[in-house]
Amino acid sequence: MKPLARESVARYVARAKRSLGQNFLLDDAILQRIVEASGLTPADSALEVGPGLGSLTRHLAAVAASVTAVEKDDALYSRLVNTLTEGDVTLIHGDALQLDLGTLVESMAMQAAPPPGAPGACIRVLANLPYNITQPFLERILPLGGPLASATLLLQEEAAERLVSARPGDVDWRGANLLLQYYSRPSIRFKVPRWAFSPAPKVNGAVVHLELLAPEDRPPVPSEAAFLTLVRFAFHQRRKMLKNTLAPLFPPNRTEAALLRLGLDAGIRAERLTLDQMIRLLWALAET
C-alpha cells in the first residue's frame, strides 16, 4: 500500500471545507483499527461514504473483495480518480443523502453474490460523518439491514455517546435512539483523539459499530412505516405529553386509553418510553 503524497495531502488539508465537515484522518494505525472494528473480510464488499483523501479507502481495498466510495466534493473526487489505483475500487461522484442507496446496495449485493457452496459475502458501510448529517444518513441506511450487514461510523464523541449510551428518561433519549435500537445492535468500539485529524476539530471522535438487523430479525410491528411515523411525531415536541404530540395521528383520548391499558401514566412523555413500550403502544393504537 503506497503512502499518501505529503505535499498533496498538505494542500487539501489547507483547503478543507468546514461546511462539509472535512477533518481528514491520516493515522494508519487508527485507520486499520477502524477496518478491524467493521468486521470486514476478504469476501466482503465495502461501501465508503466520504472517502476524502482516500486514506481509509486504501486500507479497505487491501482487505475487501471490492470497495465502492461515494464522494461529494468535486476536487477530492478528481484527486481520488487519479490516486486510487490499487485494488477493486469504484468511485461515485455524488451526495450520499441524495443517492438511491437502496438500489446501490442491491447492485453491490448482486455483484458480490458468491458461487453456490462458497462462504457468504457481506456488504459493510464505513463513513466519517459530520455532525449535521448523522441523523439523516442513519435514517437512510438503517432500514437496509439484510442487504447491509453493518455500518461502522466515525462520529463526534459526544454524538456517539448520545446515540449509543442514552437510556429512557435521560435528557439525551430521542427518537434516533429508538430507531437505532429497532434497526441494529449498536456499540462504541473506541475513541479517536482530536489531534489524529487534519485539520484538528474541536472535539474528539468515536467509532460506532452497528450490526444491522434484517427485517425478519426486527421486533414485529403492525407496519414499519407506521412505527417510523409514530416515533417522529412522538419526539417532535419531546417535552409535551405523548397524547398531545400524537394528536395529529390519534385523538388524545384514544392515546390516553391505550397508555392506561399498557399500565403507563396517561401524561407520560415520549422521552420516558422504552423501545418495547413504544412498539406495544403502536399495537394498542392499531387495535382500537
Side-chain angles (χ1 to χ4, degrees):
M1 188 166 52
K2 296 179 181 178
L4 293 172
R6 289 177 179 267
E7 297 79 5
S8 176
V9 168
R11 184 169 66 252
Y12 282 93
V13 167
R15 298 175 181 174
K17 298 175 183 176
R18 183 175 298 179
S19 63
L20 296 180
Q22 290 179 346
N23 301 100
F24 305 113
L25 180 60
L26 306 175
D27 187 301
D28 281 320
I30 297 176
L31 292 166
Q32 187 57 39
R33 288 187 68 189
I34 293 175
V35 175
E36 292 168 358
S38 75
L40 194 69
T41 74
D44 297 339
S45 296
L47 172 57
E48 184 186 8
V49 174
L53 296 172
S55 50
L56 178 60
T57 318
R58 292 157 58 248
H59 284 266
L60 296 174
V63 175
S66 65
V67 179
T68 299
V70 180
E71 178 55 58
K72 177 180 180 179
D73 185 273
D74 297 342
L76 289 176
Y77 174 79
S78 297
R79 180 186 185 278
L80 291 169
V81 168
N82 294 319
T83 58
L84 287 178
T85 58
E86 300 178 14
D88 183 354
V89 179
T90 300
L91 293 172
I92 296 176
H93 189 195
D95 184 345
L97 296 183
Q98 303 298 326
L99 292 176
D100 185 342
L101 292 180
T103 299
L104 175 59
V105 168
E106 287 180 9
S107 174
M108 292 177 64
M110 292 179 61
Q111 296 174 21
C122 297
I123 300 175
R124 301 185 183 277
V125 171
L126 296 96
N128 180 359
L129 293 179
Y131 174 77
N132 63 322
I133 74 163
T134 299
Q135 181 154 342
F137 181 74
L138 286 173
E139 290 173 354
R140 291 175 65 81
I141 65 162
L142 286 173
L144 300 179
L148 281 182
S150 67
T152 304
L153 312 175
L154 180 53
L155 308 175
Q156 291 184 3
E157 181 180 3
E158 184 179 342
E161 292 286 356
R162 283 200 303 266
L163 276 173
V164 177
S165 302
R167 295 293 179 264
D170 292 349
V171 66
D172 289 327
W173 182 252
R174 302 172 187 273
N177 301 94
L178 282 175
L179 297 183
L180 207 65
Q181 290 190 3
Y182 177 76
Y183 283 112
S184 74
R185 296 291 177 262
S187 62
I188 296 177
R189 293 303 175 88
F190 61 91
K191 308 295 176 60
V192 181
R194 56 184 294 274
W195 49 257
F197 298 88
S198 294
K202 296 180 180 180
V203 296
N204 294 328
V207 173
V208 172
H209 182 73
L210 311 176
E211 286 292 333
L212 300 181
L213 300 176
E216 62 270 19
D217 296 324
R218 299 169 194 159
V221 292
S223 157
E224 196 164 295
F227 175 69
L228 295 177
T229 300
L230 183 76
V231 171
R232 184 169 64 253
F233 275 88
F235 285 89
H236 178 61
Q237 295 175 295
R238 57 194 298 270
R239 300 302 298 169
K240 295 178 66 174
M241 290 185 291
L242 191 57
K243 63 181 179 181
N244 293 329
T245 62
L246 296 182
L249 303 177
F250 307 101
N253 62 338
R254 181 175 169 185
T255 300
E256 183 174 328
L259 288 168
L260 292 173
R261 285 202 305 276
L262 297 176
L264 297 172
D265 190 312
I268 199 169
R269 298 185 178 100
E271 63 188 18
R272 302 195 63 83
L273 266 66
T274 65
L275 173 62
D276 178 66
Q277 289 170 331
M278 190 67 77
I279 291 174
R280 288 168 55 209
L281 175 61
L282 179 59
W283 279 108
L285 289 167
E287 292 168 357
T288 57

